[in-house]
Amino acid sequence: MRKLAITTAAALTALAAFCAWGGWVYEGQWGTYGTGDGQFNDSWGVAVAPNGTVYVSDRENHRLQHFTATGSFLSKSGVRGSGNGQFDKPTGVAVAPNGNVYVADSWNSRLQYFTSSGSYLGQWGARGSGNGQFLLPEGVAIAADGTVYVADSINDRVQKFTSSGAFLDKWGSYGSGNGMFIMPCGVAVAPAGNVYVADTLNSRVQYFTAAGSYLGRWGSEGTGEGQFMGPWGISVGPDAKVFVADELNANVQGFTATGSFLARWGIPGSGNGQFQSPLHVAVSRTGARVYVADSYNHRVQYFNRNEPAVTPSSLGRVKALFR
């Protein structure tokens, strides 16, 4: 009886996983090359606000754009420069629970933050390797308590700050050992507080406690499931599923919180669901939609979770667990 109960539970778990993770399907896109409203010259970073609207860093246009959940233009802010509210090649974007927007102003070696409507609030950072200094800050993530994590890519580390920029902690150094990085470009925070880092030139993902203690890793260089060729952006959904934008493989992959492979979609190209250098990825607050900054196609694409009908072949896979 005990064996049957365990087998039945395993089968139900497998069936639920199959139904929930059959794949992700193309839903829509916006953006073309240019400088007008809703156009991009390298759509680089993407983030979803608590109200479902979407912010995109338009890197070579040196600005931030704001859209509805399906891509209708709302507003823009920023011009090239180093003054307050100006940018020099902005990259990562994150939105705090209170709606404030944080932008990695990469070539100015700083972070800036704004109200949801784009009003400048403050900044921190300078070029260097000291605490609170940056060499090409790339990824940004905000925890539920407002703590800010930054992937400080050329310094091969993650830095941690209060919501107003006071330095709290850092971890990482150059290398391939546990807790070491080679040009980390993406960072994300799970609902429970664990921190995930796209360790780009090590072709892997590492994850840590909120205090930076190493927990685990997955990935290697290659083109197979769970392998990467330039994992760049990373995002964690409300169900703790992890999504990674893999630049050179031109795809997005989904994993469990501990790195078990779940799904993959995308091939090189310019068609629907195809990518040229997907750099950052963001999950909606419900977990049902994934946004991808398709940088060299100068657009954002978004995808919905596909929950396929149960087929004879899928039932056969589950029935096999009872044998």
Short mmCIF file of all heavy atoms in Angstrom, two decimals, residues 200-245:
data_model
loop_
_atom_site.label_atom_id
_atom_site.label_comp_id
_atom_site.label_asym_id
_atom_site.label_seq_id
_atom_site.Cartn_x
_atom_site.Cartn_y
_atom_site.Cartn_z
N THR A 200 28.12 34.82 -16.39
CA THR A 200 28.04 34.78 -17.84
C THR A 200 29.19 34.03 -18.50
O THR A 200 28.98 33.10 -19.28
CB THR A 200 27.95 36.22 -18.38
OG1 THR A 200 26.84 36.86 -17.76
CG2 THR A 200 27.75 36.22 -19.89
N LEU A 201 30.42 34.41 -18.22
CA LEU A 201 31.54 33.77 -18.93
C LEU A 201 31.95 32.44 -18.30
O LEU A 201 32.81 31.76 -18.86
CB LEU A 201 32.72 34.74 -19.01
CG LEU A 201 32.49 35.98 -19.87
CD1 LEU A 201 33.79 36.74 -20.09
CD2 LEU A 201 31.86 35.64 -21.22
N ASN A 202 31.34 32.07 -17.19
CA ASN A 202 31.48 30.69 -16.69
C ASN A 202 30.35 29.79 -17.20
O ASN A 202 30.30 28.60 -16.85
CB ASN A 202 31.49 30.67 -15.16
CG ASN A 202 32.86 30.93 -14.57
OD1 ASN A 202 33.87 30.47 -15.11
ND2 ASN A 202 32.91 31.66 -13.47
N SER A 203 29.44 30.35 -17.99
CA SER A 203 28.34 29.58 -18.60
C SER A 203 27.54 28.81 -17.56
O SER A 203 27.25 27.62 -17.71
CB SER A 203 28.87 28.63 -19.68
OG SER A 203 29.49 29.34 -20.72
N ARG A 204 27.12 29.49 -16.50
CA ARG A 204 26.39 28.80 -15.44
C ARG A 204 25.55 29.81 -14.64
O ARG A 204 25.69 31.03 -14.79
CB ARG A 204 27.36 28.11 -14.50
CG ARG A 204 28.27 29.05 -13.72
CD ARG A 204 29.32 28.33 -12.91
NE ARG A 204 30.15 29.26 -12.13
CZ ARG A 204 31.19 28.91 -11.38
NH1 ARG A 204 31.56 27.63 -11.33
NH2 ARG A 204 31.88 29.82 -10.70
N VAL A 205 24.70 29.25 -13.81
CA VAL A 205 23.94 30.01 -12.83
C VAL A 205 24.41 29.58 -11.44
O VAL A 205 24.58 28.39 -11.18
CB VAL A 205 22.43 29.75 -12.97
CG1 VAL A 205 21.66 30.37 -11.80
CG2 VAL A 205 21.92 30.29 -14.30
N GLN A 206 24.62 30.53 -10.56
CA GLN A 206 24.89 30.24 -9.16
C GLN A 206 23.81 30.89 -8.30
O GLN A 206 23.25 31.91 -8.68
CB GLN A 206 26.26 30.78 -8.74
CG GLN A 206 27.44 30.15 -9.47
CD GLN A 206 28.76 30.50 -8.79
OE1 GLN A 206 29.08 30.02 -7.71
NE2 GLN A 206 29.53 31.36 -9.44
N TYR A 207 23.55 30.27 -7.14
CA TYR A 207 22.58 30.89 -6.25
C TYR A 207 23.06 30.86 -4.81
O TYR A 207 23.86 30.00 -4.41
CB TYR A 207 21.19 30.28 -6.40
CG TYR A 207 21.02 28.81 -6.13
CD1 TYR A 207 20.36 28.36 -4.99
CD2 TYR A 207 21.47 27.85 -7.04
CE1 TYR A 207 20.16 27.01 -4.75
CE2 TYR A 207 21.29 26.50 -6.82
CZ TYR A 207 20.62 26.09 -5.67
OH TYR A 207 20.44 24.73 -5.44
N PHE A 208 22.57 31.84 -4.04
CA PHE A 208 23.11 32.18 -2.74
C PHE A 208 21.98 32.55 -1.79
O PHE A 208 20.87 32.87 -2.22
CB PHE A 208 24.06 33.39 -2.86
CG PHE A 208 25.15 33.22 -3.87
CD1 PHE A 208 24.92 33.48 -5.22
CD2 PHE A 208 26.41 32.81 -3.49
CE1 PHE A 208 25.94 33.33 -6.16
CE2 PHE A 208 27.43 32.65 -4.42
CZ PHE A 208 27.19 32.91 -5.75
N THR A 209 22.28 32.55 -0.50
CA THR A 209 21.37 33.16 0.45
C THR A 209 21.40 34.67 0.27
O THR A 209 22.25 35.22 -0.44
CB THR A 209 21.76 32.82 1.90
OG1 THR A 209 23.02 33.47 2.19
CG2 THR A 209 21.91 31.32 2.11
N ALA A 210 20.48 35.35 0.94
CA ALA A 210 20.45 36.80 0.85
C ALA A 210 21.72 37.44 1.39
O ALA A 210 22.07 38.56 1.02
CB ALA A 210 19.24 37.35 1.61
N ALA A 211 22.43 36.70 2.25
CA ALA A 211 23.68 37.20 2.82
C ALA A 211 24.90 36.82 1.99
O ALA A 211 26.03 37.15 2.37
CB ALA A 211 23.84 36.67 4.24
N GLY A 212 24.69 36.11 0.88
CA GLY A 212 25.79 35.78 -0.01
C GLY A 212 26.43 34.42 0.22
O GLY A 212 27.44 34.11 -0.41
N SER A 213 25.86 33.60 1.09
CA SER A 213 26.41 32.26 1.30
C SER A 213 26.05 31.37 0.12
O SER A 213 24.88 31.32 -0.31
CB SER A 213 25.86 31.65 2.59
OG SER A 213 26.27 32.40 3.71
N TYR A 214 27.04 30.67 -0.41
CA TYR A 214 26.85 29.83 -1.59
C TYR A 214 25.91 28.68 -1.30
O TYR A 214 26.04 27.99 -0.28
CB TYR A 214 28.21 29.29 -2.04
CG TYR A 214 28.15 28.27 -3.16
CD1 TYR A 214 28.05 28.68 -4.49
CD2 TYR A 214 28.19 26.90 -2.89
CE1 TYR A 214 28.00 27.76 -5.51
CE2 TYR A 214 28.14 25.98 -3.91
CZ TYR A 214 28.04 26.41 -5.22
OH TYR A 214 27.98 25.48 -6.24
N LEU A 215 24.95 28.44 -2.23
CA LEU A 215 24.00 27.34 -2.09
C LEU A 215 24.15 26.28 -3.17
O LEU A 215 24.02 25.09 -2.90
CB LEU A 215 22.56 27.87 -2.11
CG LEU A 215 22.13 28.73 -0.92
CD1 LEU A 215 20.75 29.32 -1.17
CD2 LEU A 215 22.13 27.90 0.35
N GLY A 216 24.40 26.70 -4.40
CA GLY A 216 24.51 25.72 -5.47
C GLY A 216 24.71 26.38 -6.82
O GLY A 216 24.76 27.61 -6.94
N ARG A 217 24.80 25.55 -7.85
CA ARG A 217 25.00 26.06 -9.20
C ARG A 217 24.54 25.02 -10.20
O ARG A 217 24.37 23.84 -9.87
CB ARG A 217 26.47 26.40 -9.44
CG ARG A 217 27.39 25.19 -9.52
CD ARG A 217 28.84 25.61 -9.63
NE ARG A 217 29.71 24.51 -10.04
CZ ARG A 217 31.02 24.56 -10.06
NH1 ARG A 217 31.65 25.66 -9.70
NH2 ARG A 217 31.74 23.52 -10.46
N TRP A 218 24.33 25.46 -11.42
CA TRP A 218 24.08 24.53 -12.53
C TRP A 218 24.51 25.19 -13.84
O TRP A 218 24.65 26.40 -13.93
CB TRP A 218 22.62 24.11 -12.58
CG TRP A 218 21.63 25.14 -13.04
CD1 TRP A 218 21.27 25.45 -14.31
CD2 TRP A 218 20.83 25.99 -12.19
NE1 TRP A 218 20.31 26.42 -14.33
CE2 TRP A 218 20.01 26.77 -13.05
CE3 TRP A 218 20.72 26.16 -10.81
CZ2 TRP A 218 19.11 27.71 -12.56
CZ3 TRP A 218 19.82 27.09 -10.32
CH2 TRP A 218 19.03 27.86 -11.19
N GLY A 219 24.70 24.33 -14.85
CA GLY A 219 25.04 24.81 -16.18
C GLY A 219 26.48 24.56 -16.56
O GLY A 219 27.36 24.43 -15.71
N SER A 220 26.72 24.47 -17.85
CA SER A 220 28.05 24.33 -18.43
C SER A 220 27.98 24.89 -19.84
O SER A 220 26.90 25.17 -20.37
CB SER A 220 28.51 22.87 -18.44
OG SER A 220 27.61 22.08 -19.22
N GLU A 221 29.12 25.04 -20.47
CA GLU A 221 29.14 25.58 -21.83
C GLU A 221 28.64 24.54 -22.81
O GLU A 221 29.08 23.39 -22.80
CB GLU A 221 30.55 26.02 -22.20
CG GLU A 221 30.64 26.70 -23.56
CD GLU A 221 32.01 27.27 -23.84
OE1 GLU A 221 32.57 27.95 -22.94
OE2 GLU A 221 32.53 27.02 -24.94
N GLY A 222 27.70 24.92 -23.67
CA GLY A 222 27.18 24.01 -24.67
C GLY A 222 25.85 24.47 -25.19
O GLY A 222 25.37 25.56 -24.86
N THR A 223 25.24 23.63 -26.00
CA THR A 223 23.98 23.98 -26.65
C THR A 223 22.83 23.09 -26.22
O THR A 223 21.71 23.24 -26.72
CB THR A 223 24.12 23.89 -28.19
OG1 THR A 223 24.49 22.55 -28.56
CG2 THR A 223 25.19 24.86 -28.68
N GLY A 224 23.04 22.18 -25.32
CA GLY A 224 21.99 21.27 -24.88
C GLY A 224 21.11 21.88 -23.81
O GLY A 224 21.30 23.02 -23.37
N GLU A 225 20.13 21.09 -23.36
CA GLU A 225 19.25 21.54 -22.30
C GLU A 225 20.06 21.77 -21.02
O GLU A 225 20.85 20.93 -20.62
CB GLU A 225 18.16 20.50 -22.05
CG GLU A 225 17.20 20.34 -23.22
CD GLU A 225 16.16 19.27 -22.99
OE1 GLU A 225 16.28 18.54 -21.96
OE2 GLU A 225 15.22 19.15 -23.79
N GLY A 226 19.87 22.93 -20.42
CA GLY A 226 20.60 23.25 -19.21
C GLY A 226 22.02 23.71 -19.44
O GLY A 226 22.76 23.95 -18.47
N GLN A 227 22.42 23.84 -20.70
CA GLN A 227 23.74 24.38 -21.03
C GLN A 227 23.59 25.79 -21.59
O GLN A 227 22.51 26.17 -22.07
CB GLN A 227 24.45 23.49 -22.05
CG GLN A 227 24.81 22.11 -21.52
CD GLN A 227 25.60 21.30 -22.52
OE1 GLN A 227 25.23 21.17 -23.68
NE2 GLN A 227 26.73 20.77 -22.07
N PHE A 228 24.67 26.56 -21.55
CA PHE A 228 24.60 27.96 -21.92
C PHE A 228 25.79 28.36 -22.79
O PHE A 228 26.87 27.79 -22.69
CB PHE A 228 24.61 28.86 -20.68
CG PHE A 228 23.54 28.56 -19.68
CD1 PHE A 228 23.85 27.99 -18.45
CD2 PHE A 228 22.21 28.85 -19.95
CE1 PHE A 228 22.87 27.73 -17.51
CE2 PHE A 228 21.22 28.59 -19.01
CZ PHE A 228 21.56 28.03 -17.79
N MET A 229 25.53 29.40 -23.60
CA MET A 229 26.59 30.08 -24.34
C MET A 229 26.38 31.58 -24.13
O MET A 229 25.89 32.29 -25.00
CB MET A 229 26.52 29.73 -25.83
CG MET A 229 26.81 28.27 -26.16
SD MET A 229 28.55 27.83 -25.95
CE MET A 229 29.28 28.74 -27.31
N GLY A 230 26.68 32.03 -22.94
CA GLY A 230 26.47 33.42 -22.59
C GLY A 230 25.17 33.67 -21.88
O GLY A 230 24.35 34.49 -22.34
N PRO A 231 24.93 33.01 -20.74
CA PRO A 231 23.73 33.36 -19.95
C PRO A 231 23.85 34.79 -19.46
O PRO A 231 24.83 35.13 -18.78
CB PRO A 231 23.77 32.34 -18.79
CG PRO A 231 25.23 31.99 -18.64
CD PRO A 231 25.80 32.04 -20.04
N TRP A 232 22.91 35.62 -19.79
CA TRP A 232 23.05 37.05 -19.54
C TRP A 232 22.05 37.54 -18.50
O TRP A 232 22.40 37.94 -17.40
CB TRP A 232 22.90 37.82 -20.85
CG TRP A 232 23.50 39.19 -20.82
CD1 TRP A 232 22.97 40.32 -20.25
CD2 TRP A 232 24.76 39.59 -21.37
NE1 TRP A 232 23.81 41.39 -20.42
CE2 TRP A 232 24.92 40.97 -21.10
CE3 TRP A 232 25.76 38.93 -22.07
CZ2 TRP A 232 26.04 41.70 -21.51
CZ3 TRP A 232 26.87 39.66 -22.48
CH2 TRP A 232 27.00 41.02 -22.20
N GLY A 233 20.78 37.52 -18.85
CA GLY A 233 19.75 37.97 -17.93
C GLY A 233 19.12 36.81 -17.20
O GLY A 233 19.09 35.68 -17.69
N ILE A 234 18.59 37.08 -15.99
CA ILE A 234 17.97 36.05 -15.19
C ILE A 234 16.81 36.67 -14.43
O ILE A 234 16.86 37.83 -14.02
CB ILE A 234 19.01 35.40 -14.24
CG1 ILE A 234 18.44 34.15 -13.57
CG2 ILE A 234 19.54 36.39 -13.24
CD1 ILE A 234 19.52 33.30 -12.90
N SER A 235 15.74 35.89 -14.25
CA SER A 235 14.58 36.38 -13.53
C SER A 235 13.94 35.19 -12.81
O SER A 235 13.99 34.06 -13.30
CB SER A 235 13.58 37.03 -14.50
OG SER A 235 12.49 37.59 -13.82
N VAL A 236 13.33 35.47 -11.66
CA VAL A 236 12.66 34.43 -10.89
C VAL A 236 11.19 34.81 -10.73
O VAL A 236 10.87 35.94 -10.34
CB VAL A 236 13.30 34.25 -9.50
CG1 VAL A 236 12.62 33.11 -8.74
CG2 VAL A 236 14.79 33.98 -9.63
N GLY A 237 10.30 33.87 -11.05
CA GLY A 237 8.88 34.13 -10.95
C GLY A 237 8.34 33.96 -9.55
O GLY A 237 9.04 33.51 -8.63
N PRO A 238 7.06 34.25 -9.34
CA PRO A 238 6.47 34.13 -8.02
C PRO A 238 6.39 32.69 -7.52
O PRO A 238 6.25 32.46 -6.32
CB PRO A 238 5.07 34.73 -8.21
CG PRO A 238 4.80 34.60 -9.68
CD PRO A 238 6.12 34.77 -10.34
N ASP A 239 6.48 31.73 -8.44
CA ASP A 239 6.50 30.31 -8.06
C ASP A 239 7.92 29.78 -7.93
O ASP A 239 8.12 28.57 -7.85
CB ASP A 239 5.73 29.49 -9.09
CG ASP A 239 6.24 29.68 -10.52
OD1 ASP A 239 7.21 30.44 -10.71
OD2 ASP A 239 5.67 29.06 -11.44
N ALA A 240 8.91 30.68 -7.90
CA ALA A 240 10.34 30.35 -7.73
C ALA A 240 10.96 29.68 -8.94
O ALA A 240 12.10 29.22 -8.87
CB ALA A 240 10.58 29.50 -6.49
N LYS A 241 10.27 29.65 -10.09
CA LYS A 241 10.89 29.15 -11.31
C LYS A 241 11.88 30.20 -11.83
O LYS A 241 11.64 31.40 -11.75
CB LYS A 241 9.83 28.85 -12.37
CG LYS A 241 8.80 27.80 -11.94
CD LYS A 241 9.43 26.47 -11.65
CE LYS A 241 8.40 25.38 -11.41
NZ LYS A 241 7.50 25.61 -10.28
N VAL A 242 12.99 29.73 -12.38
CA VAL A 242 14.08 30.59 -12.79
C VAL A 242 14.18 30.61 -14.32
O VAL A 242 14.19 29.54 -14.96
CB VAL A 242 15.42 30.09 -12.20
CG1 VAL A 242 16.56 31.01 -12.60
CG2 VAL A 242 15.31 30.00 -10.67
N PHE A 243 14.26 31.78 -14.90
CA PHE A 243 14.37 31.94 -16.34
C PHE A 243 15.70 32.61 -16.68
O PHE A 243 16.09 33.59 -16.04
CB PHE A 243 13.21 32.77 -16.89
CG PHE A 243 11.88 32.11 -16.70
CD1 PHE A 243 11.18 32.28 -15.51
CD2 PHE A 243 11.33 31.32 -17.69
CE1 PHE A 243 9.96 31.67 -15.32
CE2 PHE A 243 10.11 30.69 -17.51
CZ PHE A 243 9.41 30.88 -16.31
N VAL A 244 16.36 32.09 -17.72
CA VAL A 244 17.67 32.59 -18.11
C VAL A 244 17.66 32.91 -19.60
O VAL A 244 17.28 32.08 -20.42
CB VAL A 244 18.78 31.55 -17.81
CG1 VAL A 244 20.15 32.11 -18.19
CG2 VAL A 244 18.76 31.13 -16.35
N ALA A 245 18.07 34.14 -19.94
CA ALA A 245 18.25 34.53 -21.34
C ALA A 245 19.67 34.17 -21.75
O ALA A 245 20.64 34.69 -21.20
CB ALA A 245 18.00 36.02 -21.50
#
